[in-house]
């Protein structure tokens, strides 16, 4: 006799099983990138432009040698100094500055050809080279009279009469070009490295000139939430406060950059050229994101870098200009004063970037984990709790601390506390508030917007210096 299977309980209790995806975590802010000119990393193709090495210095340095770096390459030396800091960072990224790419201004017309139009793009053909692309900027009756560079490519040489092949949109022929200058700028390389990966935060480069520092800082400053540039100067203009030195220029522009000056000290300490990589290693190593990990850059040691032999006047100049140096305060060797060019302590914009990232991540996790967040005060509570979670993380790190609000009053329509006034205590170091949905405009409601969240935070601060009065009685 056949066995009759039991009836399904789903007719009575129907169970649906859903496995929720893991919540997204905020990007890390403890991985630095060093850009150099070595050819171990190709500029184009698979696994090109930028590579991550780690975890830990031993594994990272061994992997760099396997990839073709040598122990004398600037990238290898920079990585050694980066990983020599205590605590040591876990990962470093190495990026390629291609010195065989066509320079931005290194392309001119040789023969104008026929059938071209403004905006046409073309491949630049040179034996053994690839990926160079130019664009037609001016023409006269189909004959090219001006060109610009779209992409520098790799393995080019200064030469005249290089052939081209039209790639879009016309079918022009006969155009040849002159390559007059080679080498990506450090800004070109940094831009390409950012396009290749969003995972790195700190940025140091090999031997930047004044123009490189200016270009990189002006590029990185608007990207402060994802990019932190460590500028370096090896000449005497900063400690001697020569007119228009790099530190003075960046201070005038009020840019968010941690700059350091260090010389090679007459050849005795050539690795001082990597002082920025060392400073980056200190910050990337200390910034674990764990509870109690709040730190300040002032008073730190940089392994592998010799202290600068500065006079008191030179140190005062550096400090006044918003720049930094690794100095000998006998018997201590310390990085001082730990400020950025805009006058902020070094930690401020680092931790504000982390706070922004945590707020974005916590809110997105709410929006993606819920089938819908209703435009009601109850729905807004979920978003407020997410903001509180982000701030609580920063408080556990130690960046936020209880204090009294001393900022300008913040009007918050119809919130439980209608105005955040000067003198209001923030016992947790933060306060997130929202107005009622009763105040929302119909246009914002139709657009699917939440009511705004007003996030007020108070930082713990960090002691940079102190005064002690000694009173003596005989």
């Amino acid at each position: 006799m056949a066995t009759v299977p039991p009836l399904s309980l789903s007719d009575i209790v129907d169970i649906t099983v859903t496995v929720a995806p893991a919540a997204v975590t905020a990007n890390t802010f403890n991985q630095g990138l060093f850009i150099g000119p070595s050819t171990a990393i190709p500029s184009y193709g698979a696994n090109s432009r930028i590579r991550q090495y780690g975890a830990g210095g031993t594994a990272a340095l061994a992997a760099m040698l396997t990839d073709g770096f040598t122990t004398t390459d600037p990238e290898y030396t920079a990585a050694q100094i980066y990983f020599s800091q205590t605590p040591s960072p876990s990962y470093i990224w190495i990026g390629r500055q291609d010195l065989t790419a066509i320079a931005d201004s290194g392309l001119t017309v040789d023969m104008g050809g026929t059938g071209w139009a403004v905006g046409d793009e073309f491949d630049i053909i040179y034996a053994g080279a690839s990926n160079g692309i130019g664009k037609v900027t001016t023409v006269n009756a189909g004959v090219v009279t001006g060109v610009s560079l779209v992409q520098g490519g790799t393995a080019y040489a200064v030469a005249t009469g290089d052939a081209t092949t039209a790639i879009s949109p016309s079918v022009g022929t006969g155009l040849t070009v002159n390559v007059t200058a080679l080498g990506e700028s450090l800004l070109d390389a940094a831009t390409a490295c950012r396009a290749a990966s969003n995972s790195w935060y700190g940025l140091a480069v090999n031997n930047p000139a004044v123009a490189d520092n200016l270009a990189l800082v002006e590029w990185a400053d608007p990207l402060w939430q994802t990019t932190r540039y460590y500028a370096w100067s090896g000449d005497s203009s900063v400690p001697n406060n020569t007119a228009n030195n790099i530190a003075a220029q960046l201070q005038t522009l009020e840019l968010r950059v941690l700059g350091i000056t260090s010389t090679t000290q007459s050849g005795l300490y050539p690795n001082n050229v990597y002082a920025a990589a060392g400073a980056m290693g200190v910050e990337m190593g200390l910034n674990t994101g764990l509870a109690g990990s709040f730190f300040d850059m002032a008073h730190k040691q940089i392994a592998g870098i010799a202290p600068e032999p500065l006079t008191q006047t030179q140190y005062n100049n550096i400090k006044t200009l918003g720049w930094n140096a690794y100095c000998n305060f006998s018997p201590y060797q310390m990085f001082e004063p730990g400020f950025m060019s805009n006058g902020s302590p070094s930690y401020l914009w680092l931790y504000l970037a982390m706070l922004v990232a945590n707020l974005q991540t916590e809110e997105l996790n709410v929006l993606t984990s819920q089938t819908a967040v209703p435009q009601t005060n109850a729905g807004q509570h979920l978003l407020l709790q997410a903001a509180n979670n982000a701030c609580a993380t920063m408080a556990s790190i130690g960046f936020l601390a209880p204090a009294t609000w001393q900022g300008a009053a913040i009007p918050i329509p119809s919130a439980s506390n209608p105005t955040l006034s000067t003198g209001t205590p923030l016992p947790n170091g933060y306060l997130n508030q929202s107005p009622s949905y009763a105040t929302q405009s119909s246009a914002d409601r139709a657009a699917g917007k939440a009511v705004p969240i007003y996030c007020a935070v108070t930082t713990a601060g960090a002691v940079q210096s102190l005064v002690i009065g000694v009173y003596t009685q005989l």
Side-chain angles (χ1 to χ4, degrees):
M1 180 178 179
T3 302
V4 178
L7 300 176
S8 173
L9 286 175
S10 296
D11 290 337
I12 304 170
V13 181
D14 191 10
I15 306 296
T16 299
V17 177
T18 301
V19 178
V24 176
T25 57
N27 285 341
T28 58
F29 290 82
N30 57 9
Q31 298 187 22
L33 165 70
F34 184 84
I35 295 176
S38 300
T39 60
I41 299 176
S43 298
Y44 297 93
N47 200 20
S48 62
R49 182 57 74 173
I50 184 173
R51 292 180 189 170
Q52 184 193 49
Y53 293 98
T58 300
L61 294 170
M64 289 181 68
L65 293 176
T66 300
D67 280 352
F69 288 98
T70 70
T71 57
T72 58
D73 284 336
E75 295 91 340
Y76 188 88
T77 305
Q80 282 182 312
I81 292 173
Y82 175 87
F83 283 114
S84 294
Q85 309 313 312
T86 303
S88 179
S90 295
Y91 293 95
I92 192 172
W93 293 77
I94 301 296
R96 166 82 181 273
Q97 178 194 17
D98 196 332
L99 300 183
T100 66
I102 302 170
D104 288 340
S105 58
L107 198 64
T108 61
V109 176
D110 176 49
M111 295 180 61
T114 59
W116 296 90
V118 172
D120 287 351
E121 293 189 356
F122 52 87
D123 285 323
I124 303 167
I125 302 170
Y126 180 82
S130 60
N131 293 292
I133 299 175
K135 178 185 287 188
V136 175
T137 56
T138 57
V139 297
N140 183 5
V143 178
V144 178
T145 56
V147 294
S148 64
L149 187 70
V150 175
Q151 182 171 285
T154 188
Y156 285 90
V158 172
T160 60
D162 288 340
T164 67
T165 300
I167 54 178
S168 70
S170 78
V171 291
T173 59
L175 170 65
T176 58
V177 293
N178 303 321
V179 175
T180 60
L182 296 175
E184 284 181 332
S185 69
L186 284 165
L187 176 59
D188 290 337
T191 303
C193 287
R194 175 52 78 208
S197 173
N198 288 319
S199 296
W200 55 271
Y201 174 64
L203 171 63
V205 299
N206 184 57
N207 200 15
V210 170
D212 293 316
N213 277 323
L214 285 170
L216 285 165
V217 175
E218 290 180 339
W219 170 75
D221 185 79
L223 306 176
W224 65 270
Q225 295 179 28
T226 58
T227 307
R228 184 175 179 86
Y229 177 56
Y230 296 80
W232 175 83
S233 172
D235 61 44
S236 61
S237 62
V238 176
N240 293 333
N241 198 7
T242 304
N244 300 320
N245 65 76
I246 180 61
Q249 293 183 62
L250 296 178
Q251 186 180 55
T252 298
L253 296 171
E254 297 185 354
L255 296 175
R256 286 162 285 204
V257 60
L258 186 68
I260 179 171
T261 184
S262 65
T263 70
T264 57
Q265 298 187 5
S266 301
L268 293 176
Y269 302 104
N271 285 350
N272 274 19
V273 72
Y274 304 107
M280 181 172 69
V282 171
E283 291 206 322
M284 299 300 99
L286 287 168
N287 191 28
T288 63
L290 300 176
S293 61
F294 174 61
F295 72 93
D296 180 21
M297 191 60 185
H299 326 312
K300 299 300 182 288
Q301 291 186 323
I302 305 180
I305 302 299
E308 288 301 293
L310 300 173
T311 66
Q312 188 65 51
T313 298
Q314 288 175 320
Y315 173 70
N316 291 342
N317 287 339
I318 292 170
K319 187 175 179 180
T320 300
L321 290 167
W323 210 250
N324 299 272
Y326 189 54
C327 305
N328 186 6
F329 298 85
S330 184
Y332 302 100
Q333 296 177 359
M334 298 183 294
F335 182 89
E336 298 293 342
F339 275 78
M340 306 181 84
S341 292
N342 69 345
S344 302
S346 64
Y347 64 81
L348 179 62
W349 293 99
L350 164 62
Y351 285 108
L352 286 175
M354 293 173 65
L355 172 60
V356 169
N358 285 335
L359 285 167
Q360 291 173 331
T361 302
E362 290 285 350
E363 298 296 353
L364 279 171
N365 281 335
V366 171
L367 295 174
T368 56
S369 65
Q370 303 292 314
T371 55
V373 176
Q375 289 174 295
T376 63
N377 291 340
Q380 189 70 8
H381 176 75
L382 296 175
L383 301 177
L384 280 169
Q385 185 57 49
N388 286 336
N389 291 341
C391 292
T393 297
M394 300 309 298
S396 71
I397 288 172
F399 174 57
L400 304 183
T404 299
W405 181 255
Q406 299 297 335
I410 303 174
I412 305 173
S414 74
S416 57
N417 181 7
T419 300
L420 178 60
S421 304
T422 301
T424 300
L426 271 62
N428 297 315
Y430 59 89
L431 178 63
N432 290 290
Q433 299 182 90
S434 286
S436 167
Y437 266 96
T439 66
Q440 189 180 41
S441 69
S442 57
D444 282 353
R445 183 174 184 82
K449 295 181 179 179
V451 291
I453 294 175
Y454 295 80
C455 177
V457 299
T458 52
T459 68
V463 173
Q464 304 284 337
S465 61
L466 70 157
V467 174
I468 299 177
V470 177
Y471 299 87
T472 304
Q473 177 177 310
L474 296 176

